[in-house]
């Protein structure tokens, strides 16, 4: 039986194929190349000015191309990327045969968190250019990505106390045994006591660091990671990644890496969304974990419509009969009174009382009550208290009520929340396997890791919607435009002199604002144009 035979490995081909011909014209790697070439690398904050002494540095654009390719192909490790440079023909084409060391690769990600964030913002601008972002309905949520820190290396005061108590018990046991033994056994017991005392000193030092930090817990391997509730009562030492996703094509427009829970996250994310979209005429969708009065206030005072799920009341806060729950008490804004289902009016003395939450935040509330409660025939249905029924009205009650009205009126919008915001998580965590943070030593490095995930996601998502051909043509046009600007800048400098010596008749030709863009240009395209100082 005949089989297809391969080529002889030792034979030299008469007509060798070039590296460029080996890569398909529609290969995704060409999109990466064009995308990075369309960026103003220096203006993004990537370092390009290196001392001439010693071995030359790698250009940041080459390392950025390598990382985007790696994240698109489920490769994040700097050592794995180093291997790909020597064996992967697509990477050889992308980097033109360069093979940087794994330390160089790792340091690039570590040192460029802010610049990587700007590259992500550019992917959002590309999506906006093609009208892929609606800017009318956005959904927010968070996901926990495990940190490079085990639970054993995470401590709070209770855990430290348990360890010290255990050591004290062991030392006491060995001390009692030491009194009853002699000879060689004494030496063994003394050594055990010494070891436990050293361990105790270690925990005392941890306790000191914990108190100095002013935080509730401390992590040893990744100092800024925290043990966070993942689901139900399961906790992991993680980072909490907040994201904002536009509903039109499920494209993320913002992300933020934190080490806190969701209760205080929504307000800041809505502020950032307003800045990115340059409008407040949109609706935000969040789940009940974000239902916090101060955050609702921040969002609504920005003019943004909030639809945040309202958590159910615990059984201890409900009336014996559902009919007498708080929501059935009618509030009169003009008279500042409540009317109960029995028609009795509850009044306040006007005083504000302070309430401290489990997270340490302070809020204020007023109390409402009526003397008629004592003789009310429905009292046993209304309250379990020995005294009269007491209604508390938070300082954020107006914002809670406005949000509640929105959730009831536009329930059909809230039902879309999960399908919108979980779409990127499903791809990044399930399909690509990025369920953990690869880097150590803080939120900044973790943010760089997450930023590259979302850059890769947005490029893949935009390419799938537009087709790679359309995206390739657009990026190719931008690269051609940048090259033309380079040529024009060089010609101007050669003709009129170095920057700062522009002749007066050209002084008003092109003005630059504080945001490094042409004042007469389109701000949506500013990420793709080079800043030309003192020229046009």
């Amino acid at each position: 039986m005949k089989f297809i035979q391969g080529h002889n490995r030792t034979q030299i081909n008469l007509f060798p194929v070039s590296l460029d011909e080996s890569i398909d014209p529609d290969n995704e790697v060409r999109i990466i190349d064009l995308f990075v070439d369309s960026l103003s690398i220096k203006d993004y904050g990537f370092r390009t000015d290196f001392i001439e002494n010693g071995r030359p540095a790698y250009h940041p654009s080459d390392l950025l191309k390598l990382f985007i390719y790696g994240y698109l192909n489920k490769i994040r490790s700097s050592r794995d990327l180093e291997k790909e440079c020597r064996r992967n023909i697509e990477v050889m084409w992308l980097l033109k045969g360069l093979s940087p060391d794994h330390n160089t690769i790792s340091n690039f990600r570590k040192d460029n968190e802010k610049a990587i964030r700007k590259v992500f913002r550019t992917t959002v601008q590309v999506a906006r250019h093609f009208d892929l972002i609606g800017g009318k309905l956005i959904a927010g949520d968070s996901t926990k990505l495990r940190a490079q820190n085990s639970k054993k290396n995470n401590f709070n005061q209770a855990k430290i106390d348990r360890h010290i108590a255990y050591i004290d018990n062991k030392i006491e046991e060995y001390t009692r045994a030491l009194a009853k033994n002699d000879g060689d056994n004494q030496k063994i017991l003394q050594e055990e006591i010494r070891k436990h005392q050293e361990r105790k000193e270690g925990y005392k030092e941890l306790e000191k660091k914990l108190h100095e930090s002013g935080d509730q817990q401390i992590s040893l391997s990744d100092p800024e990671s925290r043990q966070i509730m993942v689901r139900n009562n399961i906790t992991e030492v993680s980072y909490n990644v907040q994201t904002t996703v536009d509903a039109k094509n499920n494209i993320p427009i913002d992300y933020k890496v934190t080490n806190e829970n969701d209760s205080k996250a929504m307000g800041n994310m809505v502020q950032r969304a307003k800045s990115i979209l340059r409008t407040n005429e949109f609706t935000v969708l969040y789940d009940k974990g974000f239902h916090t009065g101060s955050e609702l206030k921040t969002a609504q005072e920005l003019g943004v419509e909030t639809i945040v799920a309202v958590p159910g009341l615990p059984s201890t806060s409900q009336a014996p009969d559902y009919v007498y729950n708080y929501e059935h008490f009618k509030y009169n804004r003009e008279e500042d009174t409540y009317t109960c289902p029995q028609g009795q009016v509850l009044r306040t003395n006007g005083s504000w009382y302070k309430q401290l939450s489990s997270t340490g935040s302070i809020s204020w509330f007023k109390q409402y009550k009526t003397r008629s409660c004592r003789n009310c025939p429905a009292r046993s249905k209304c309250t379990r208290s020995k005294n009269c029924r007491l209604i508390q009205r938070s300082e954020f009650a107006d914002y809670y009520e406005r949000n509640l009205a929105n959730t009831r009126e536009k329930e059909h919008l809230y039902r879309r929340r999960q399908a919108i915001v979980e779409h990127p998580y499903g791809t990044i965590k399930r399909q690509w396997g990025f369920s953990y943070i690869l880097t150590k030593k803080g939120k900044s490095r973790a943010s760089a890791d997450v930023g590259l995930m979302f850059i890769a996601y947005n490029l893949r998502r935009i390419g799938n919607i537009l087709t790679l051909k359309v995206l390739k043509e657009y990026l190719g046009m931008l690269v051609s435009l940048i090259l033309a600007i380079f040529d024009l800048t060089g010609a101007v400098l050669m003709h009129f002199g170095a920057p700062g010596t522009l002749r007066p008749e050209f002084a008003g030709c092109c003005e630059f604002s504080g945001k490094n863009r042409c004042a007469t240009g389109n701000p949506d395209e500013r990420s793709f144009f080079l800043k030309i100082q003192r020229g046009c």
Side-chain angles (χ1 to χ4, degrees), residues 186-198:
Q186 277 195 335
K187 292 182 179 179
I188 295 172
L189 291 171
Q190 286 171 349
E191 180 63 20
E192 288 296 325
I193 291 173
R194 185 190 64 81
K195 287 180 181 179
H196 279 77
Q197 286 175 338
E198 286 181 357

Side-chain angles (χ1 to χ4, degrees), residues 176 182 225 256 272 310 318 326 330 376 380 405 444 474:
R176 287 197 301 266
D182 55 7
S225 62
K256 183 180 180 181
R272 291 159 62 114
V310 180
Q318 294 186 23
Y326 168 78
K330 296 180 181 179
C376 180
S380 60
S444 177
Y474 174 68

